[in-house]
Amino acid sequence: MCQVDEGYHDQLERQEVPSVSKKCVRCKEATAVVVIRAGDTYCRDCFKEYFIHKFRAMLGKNRIIFPGEKVLLAVSGGPSSCSMLSQVQEGLSQNAHKKLRFIPGIVYIDEGGAVGQSVEERQRTVSELQAVFKATGFPFHIVPLEQVLDLPSSVVVTAPSPSERPASSYKAAVDHFIQNDSSRCLTPQKQDETLPANVQESQTRLLQQLIGSAKTLTAREDLLNTLRQHLLVHTARTEGYSKLMLGDNCTRLAVKLLTSISLGRGAQLAQDTGFSDSRYGDIISVRPMRDYSAKEIAYYNHLFNVPSVFIPGLDTKTTDKASIQRLTESFVTKLQADFPSTVSTIYRTSEKLQTACKSSSTADPCARCLLCMCALDTTVENASAFQATLISEQLSQTKYLGANSTAFPKQSPAPVRSESTAPPGQCCSSGGGGGEDCGRTVEGGGCCSSAKVAETTDVRSLLCYSCQLTIKDMSSVDCLPQYILSEAQKRQRRSQMKEEISEFLLDDGDES
C-alpha cells in the first residue's frame, strides 16, 4: 500500500505543457503580451497597429463614408462603442498615418428610465460619460429615452435618400477634400453640448408602462431596441448627420444573427448584421467594429486605458433562460470557450447573406414594417410557412373558444361593449339603442371608437412577422407611442383609398 511518508518526487518527470510562442508573430523580436488566437501572439506596439489598421481597412474597403460627411457615433458606454470612439479619435489626430476625413459627433441614449434606475443613478452615469465625451473634443448629444414618446411620425417613414455616388468617385472626392477642405477641418472647432433636459416623472412612468406592457423579456428587449433605433435616427436627422456609426462587434453580431433567426427575422438578417443598413433612406447605419471579437476589444481597452462605463440593461442579473436573446448569448459564448472558431464561423456566414425582399429605399411606404422599417415579409403566397402558421394559430384560438363555450354552456351573458370595443359604424355611446352620437370625432369623421378599433385590429397587418410576435406579447397596443399609432392610421386610410380607386388606376404594364 502507498505510504504517506514515501517520496516519489525524484522518480516523477514533469512534462512540459505546450505553449504558444513567446515572441510576437509580426515583428519577431518583442515579447508577446496578447494571444488573440492559437498562434496569433502580438506585442503591445504590433497589436495596436493591427487593431488600428483593421478599423481603417473596414472603412476604406466599403467606401460609404465620403470625405467631409457628418457621422454620428452611437456610444452606449460599453467596451465596443467606447473602443470605436477611441479609434475615431485616433484617426483624426494630427500624427495619424492615414487620417479619417469625416466630421464626427457623439450621441448617447439614456435608457435609465426604462430599466428602473433612480434619478441619482442616471445623473451619475451621465456625468461619467460626459467626462469621456469632453475629453474627445467632439460635439455630443445626451438624449433621454423618454423623448421617444414625442417623436414625429416621420421617423417611421423612409426619407428620400440623396443621390448615390458611385465608388469610382470616392478617390476624386478624397483629392478634392485634400485640396480644398483639409485646412478647414484641421482648425479646432467649438465643442457643442446637448445635455438632457429635465425629464418629467410622468414621461418616465409612461415609458415604463410601455416597456412593461410586453409580457416577456424577449419582447421587452426587442421593443426597447426598436425605440432606441428610432430615437437615434431622429437625432441624426435633426442634427444634420448623414451617417450613423454603431459599435456592434463580431461576437454581438453572431449572437444577433442566431437570435434574429429564432425571432423570425430571417428576411432582415442582411440589414440587421451587415456593414451598412439603408432602411431609413437618408440615414445610413454602418458597423465598422464588426470584424473585432469581444476578446480583442477587451484586450485593447485594457492595454491602452480606453475608458468605458458599465450601464445595467433589462437583462442584467437575469438567468440564461430569461429571454431568447440571453439564452442565445449564453449558448454562443460557452461554445466559443470550447471551440474558438464558433463566433468567426457564424460571422462569416452572415457576410454571405442577402435579402430576397425589395430594397427598403425603393419599396412602397406601405410595404415596409411600421416598427423595424424593413420590407414586409408577410406578403407571401398561400402555400408558405407563414400562412401555415397563421392557420394553425386561428385553429388553436377557435378550439380554445369552443372549449370555453362547452365548459360553461349556461354562462352566456350579453356582451359588454366598452368605449374601445363598439362595432364599426356604431357610436360608442349608443349602446345599440340608437342613442345620440358621443360627440368626440376623430380626423376623417366618425365616432372615436372606430379609430380605436382600427388601431387594435390593423397594426399587426402593417408589421413584419417578427414585429407581429412582439406586438402579440403586449397587453395593449394603445401603449405604443403616438407617432406609431398615427402612422398606422395614415397607412390604413391610404390603403382604403387605394382600394376605392383601384378600378381607375393603371397597372405598370398598361403604362407602356
Side-chain angles (χ1 to χ4, degrees):
M1 296 179 63
C2 297
Q3 300 296 326
V4 177
D5 298 332
E6 292 183 6
Y8 299 94
H9 301 287
D10 298 335
Q11 302 176 7
L12 297 179
E13 296 181 0
R14 187 177 184 85
Q15 185 177 4
E16 291 292 334
V17 179
S19 60
V20 297
S21 174
K22 296 182 180 179
K23 293 294 183 181
C24 175
V25 297
R26 192 165 186 173
C27 65
K28 309 293 184 182
E29 297 177 357
T31 304
V33 297
V34 173
V35 181
I36 299 177
R37 289 171 294 272
D40 291 347
T41 57
Y42 292 92
C43 64
R44 179 186 175 93
D45 294 336
C46 290
F47 177 64
K48 183 177 182 179
E49 186 178 348
Y50 154 83
F51 199 91
I52 294 176
H53 171 74
K54 185 184 283 191
F55 185 84
R56 310 274 179 85
M58 176 62 72
L59 293 177
K61 178 178 65 175
N62 292 275
R63 295 188 174 184
I64 291 180
I65 302 177
F66 277 67
E69 279 192 303
K70 296 184 66 177
V71 180
L72 187 62
L73 312 179
V75 179
S76 64
S80 184
S81 60
C82 287
S83 180
M84 177 184 69
L85 177 61
S86 174
Q87 290 304 301
V88 174
Q89 189 178 5
E90 176 77 20
L92 292 172
S93 61
Q94 296 286 348
N95 55 355
H97 175 56
K98 292 183 179 180
K99 292 177 65 67
L100 300 176
R101 300 182 177 90
F102 56 82
I103 304 173
I106 307 172
V107 61
Y108 165 68
I109 306 298
D110 180 15
E111 304 174 7
V115 299
Q117 283 186 317
S118 62
V119 178
E120 293 76 14
E121 292 174 335
R122 298 178 67 178
Q123 291 178 348
R124 190 183 313 117
T125 301
V126 168
S127 61
E128 292 179 11
L129 285 171
Q130 189 175 349
V132 175
F133 297 159
K134 283 185 176 181
T136 63
F138 303 152
F140 62 90
H141 314 274
I142 300 178
V143 185
L145 188 62
E146 284 83 353
Q147 289 190 11
V148 79
L149 300 174
D150 301 324
L151 293 183
S153 58
S154 58
V155 176
V156 287
V157 177
T158 301
S161 58
S163 57
E164 296 183 0
R165 290 178 283 186
S168 59
S169 64
Y170 182 82
K171 188 176 185 304
V174 172
D175 295 338
H176 181 270
F177 178 82
I178 293 176
Q179 294 175 1
N180 300 327
D181 300 336
S182 58
S183 59
R184 177 179 60 84
C185 288
L186 291 177
T187 305
Q189 298 180 0
K190 182 181 178 181
Q191 185 180 27
D192 297 329
E193 302 178 9
T194 304
L195 300 179
N198 293 328
V199 180
Q200 298 180 0
E201 187 178 353
S202 59
Q203 293 289 93
T204 304
R205 285 198 301 267
L206 287 176
L207 178 63
Q208 293 176 350
Q209 182 182 359
L210 169 60
I211 301 298
S213 63
K215 303 174 185 177
T216 62
L217 182 60
T218 300
R220 285 196 292 270
E221 291 188 27
D222 197 24
L223 181 61
L224 178 61
N225 180 64
T226 301
L227 298 177
R228 183 196 306 119
Q229 190 67 23
H230 289 175
L231 192 54
L232 286 174
V233 172
H234 175 71
T235 305
R237 285 175 176 170
T238 54
E239 299 298 334
Y241 293 90
S242 59
K243 299 293 189 298
L244 180 63
M245 191 174 287
L246 306 176
D248 296 331
N249 57 52
C250 177
T251 307
R252 177 59 55 188
L253 290 177
V255 174
K256 191 174 184 179
L257 184 141
L258 296 181
T259 302
S260 298
I261 294 176
S262 303
L263 295 176
R265 294 189 60 83
Q268 294 85 12
L269 282 179
Q271 292 175 306
D272 290 342
T273 61
F275 174 78
S276 63
D277 181 3
S278 58
R279 71 182 73 178
Y280 290 95
D282 57 337
I283 305 296
I284 299 179
S285 302
V286 295
R287 301 180 178 91
M289 303 295 292
R290 67 191 306 266
D291 265 357
Y292 296 96
S293 66
K295 182 179 179 181
E296 291 175 327
I297 294 173
Y299 277 144
Y300 184 86
N301 292 355
H302 175 71
L303 289 175
F304 302 101
N305 300 320
V306 177
S308 60
V309 180
F310 171 75
I311 302 174
L314 289 175
D315 59 346
T316 303
K317 295 184 179 180
T318 58
T319 61
D320 291 348
K321 298 181 180 180
S323 65
I324 293 179
Q325 295 91 337
R326 186 73 181 85
L327 181 61
T328 307
E329 181 182 6
S330 175
F331 169 73
V332 172
T333 52
K334 290 179 180 178
L335 197 61
Q336 173 72 11
D338 296 330
F339 303 95
S341 61
T342 299
V343 169
S344 60
T345 302
I346 300 174
Y347 167 71
R348 297 304 172 190
T349 304
S350 69
E351 286 187 326
K352 302 178 178 63
L353 295 175
Q354 292 182 354
T355 179
C357 300
K358 296 180 180 179
S359 174
S360 295
S361 58
T362 59
D364 181 71
C366 295
R368 285 186 294 270
C369 177
L370 184 62
L371 292 182
C372 69
M373 295 297 295
C374 289
L376 287 178
D377 56 355
T378 55
T379 55
V380 293
E381 56 185 8
N382 294 331
S384 63
F386 174 70
Q387 293 295 340
T389 304
L390 290 182
I391 294 174
S392 177
E393 180 182 353
Q394 293 172 1
L395 291 176
S396 300
Q397 293 176 353
T398 304
K399 184 177 180 181
Y400 175 75
L401 293 175
N404 286 344
S405 61
T406 55
F408 305 99
K410 296 183 180 180
Q411 298 180 4
S412 55
V416 179
R417 289 172 182 155
S418 63
E419 185 180 63
S420 61
T421 58
Q426 180 177 325
C427 180
C428 58
S429 63
S430 61
E436 296 182 358
D437 191 277
C438 64
R440 289 172 290 175
T441 59
V442 295
E443 184 180 356
C447 171
C448 63
S449 62
S450 60
K452 294 182 179 180
V453 172
E455 291 175 9
T456 57
T457 56
D458 294 318
V459 167
R460 288 186 60 180
S461 64
L462 302 173
L463 305 175
C464 65
Y465 177 70
S466 177
C467 293
Q468 284 185 13
L469 298 180
T470 302
I471 295 298
K472 183 180 177 182
D473 280 340
M474 294 181 63
S475 58
S476 175
V477 186
D478 297 333
C479 296
L480 289 173
Q482 187 59 38
Y483 71 94
I484 296 179
L485 297 178
S486 300
E487 180 62 21
Q489 295 178 8
K490 182 179 178 181
R491 292 190 183 185
Q492 182 202 4
R493 290 195 298 265
R494 185 176 299 169
S495 299
Q496 291 176 351
M497 182 177 63
K498 189 175 181 179
E499 269 186 45
E500 294 174 357
I501 63 174
S502 59
E503 299 179 358
F504 309 98
L505 297 177
L506 294 175
D507 297 333
D508 294 337
D510 298 337
E511 293 180 358
S512 58

